Amino acid sequence: MRTIAVVVYVFFFLVLGLPVLAVDWVIRKFNPRVSEICQLRIVQWGFRCVCFLSGVRLTVIGEENVPKDQAVLYIGNHRSFFDIVITYARCPRPTGYISKDGVDKVPILGLVMRRLHCLFLDRNDPKQGLKVILTAVEKVKSGISICVFPEGSRNKDSSDPLSLLPFKEGTFKIAQKTGCPIIPMALIGTADIFENQFPWIKRAKVTLIYGTPILPGTLEKEDQKHLGAYCQGVIHKMLSEHIHTAP
């Protein structure tokens, strides 16, 4: 029943959201800032409803580490489609996600994601990947936070909850070129909602931990040179510290 409820809800949320997008388009012409906040809060409300219908019992740790007065680069481990749903619902300011291409071609969903500053990456086209990173840099400079899962794809290793795929170094140029803080996120239990019992959605306990902001310019030169590996170590440590204490 949870699966059916979520599918039906998402369908009607997207369809009924079209008139809202039209109204928002008018608002944007007169007050872009109000438009940004309206879009953020509406989608966050929708994602919270998805979590409620899915039976997600969420524990958040370290949310005070997230700056509310500046754009940041969020990075996190990636185990589930719900990673985006859960983390976006907590963003205090407009935030775009970098996602794989193809999602933008889904009717209505692609339109909504583009309006939310999401960027779409073709993993087989390095030139297009560089263009996406440069676009993300400009968004951060304009005050839009960016969220990336640097593993590049979902980690499907269900046997080891501490395992991480190698972090792609290109992601971190967003922070290096803008000087924005990197906010590490460790997600525990998200795969238990859907992926571990595909195709069904089931109740699950999830923990989201926000780590201390990382300022690339303050790190040792070697860590700055291999920022992806450094941040991967930070998130691995966060997972290790909380994996056995998660509710």
Side-chain angles (χ1 to χ4, degrees):
M1 289 298 294
R2 291 186 187 280
T3 307
I4 295 172
V6 170
V7 170
V8 171
Y9 174 81
V10 170
F11 173 79
F12 280 104
F13 180 81
L14 291 173
V15 172
L16 295 177
L18 284 175
V20 176
L21 285 175
V23 172
D24 179 73
W25 181 83
V26 175
I27 295 174
R28 182 183 291 265
K29 294 292 183 181
F30 297 96
N31 195 325
R33 176 61 181 169
V34 170
S35 170
E36 293 277 4
I37 297 302
C38 286
Q39 287 185 94
L40 174 67
R41 300 309 177 206
I42 289 170
V43 175
Q44 286 183 324
W45 175 79
F47 281 176
R48 289 192 181 104
C49 289
V50 169
C51 288
F52 174 77
L53 292 172
S54 302
V56 174
R57 288 172 286 179
L58 179 64
T59 298
V60 181
I61 299 171
E63 199 160 21
E64 67 277 4
N65 289 321
V66 182
K68 296 179 174 60
D69 58 351
Q70 66 179 123
V72 303
L73 173 65
Y74 296 99
I75 60 166
N77 59 311
H78 194 21
R79 293 262 177 176
S80 171
F81 294 116
F82 275 83
D83 295 338
I84 296 173
V85 174
I86 289 168
T87 57
Y88 189 85
R90 312 296 305 189
C91 295
R93 56 185 297 122
T95 302
Y97 281 62
I98 294 182
S99 176
K100 65 181 180 180
D101 67 331
V103 179
D104 58 326
K105 297 178 177 63
V106 178
I108 305 177
L109 178 61
L111 174 62
V112 172
M113 291 183 70
R114 283 191 292 272
R115 290 289 291 273
L116 295 173
H117 303 286
C118 291
L119 303 172
F120 302 96
L121 182 66
D122 183 350
R123 299 169 186 167
N124 299 315
D125 186 346
K127 289 184 178 180
Q128 190 268 349
L130 177 59
K131 183 178 179 181
V132 166
I133 295 299
L134 293 176
T135 301
V137 167
E138 293 306 312
K139 285 191 177 292
V140 171
K141 288 180 178 179
S142 70
I144 306 298
S145 294
I146 293 291
C147 182
V148 187
F149 298 103
E151 291 171 283
S153 62
R154 285 183 296 113
N155 183 353
K156 300 177 183 179
D157 182 4
S158 59
S159 64
D160 182 4
L162 294 177
S163 71
L164 293 167
L165 301 176
F167 278 22
K168 299 183 182 302
E169 293 286 343
T171 296
F172 298 90
K173 294 187 183 298
I174 299 169
Q176 290 171 323
K177 289 183 177 296
T178 62
C180 75
I182 299 172
I183 306 298
M185 304 183 298
L187 289 143
I188 300 172
T190 53
D192 293 334
I193 306 169
F194 179 62
E195 282 76 8
N196 289 348
Q197 57 274 325
F198 178 84
W200 310 114
I201 292 173
K202 294 188 177 181
R203 183 189 299 271
K205 295 180 180 179
V206 173
T207 303
L208 168 59
I209 307 109
Y210 293 100
T212 303
I214 299 169
L215 299 174
T218 65
L219 301 177
E220 298 291 335
K221 288 187 177 180
E222 193 63 22
D223 291 331
Q224 291 185 43
K225 186 178 179 181
H226 304 287
L227 190 52
Y230 175 84
C231 291
Q232 181 177 359
V234 170
I235 290 181
H236 187 272
K237 182 179 179 182
M238 291 166 62
L239 290 169
S240 299
E241 290 174 346
H242 293 277
I243 196 77
H244 297 300
T245 59

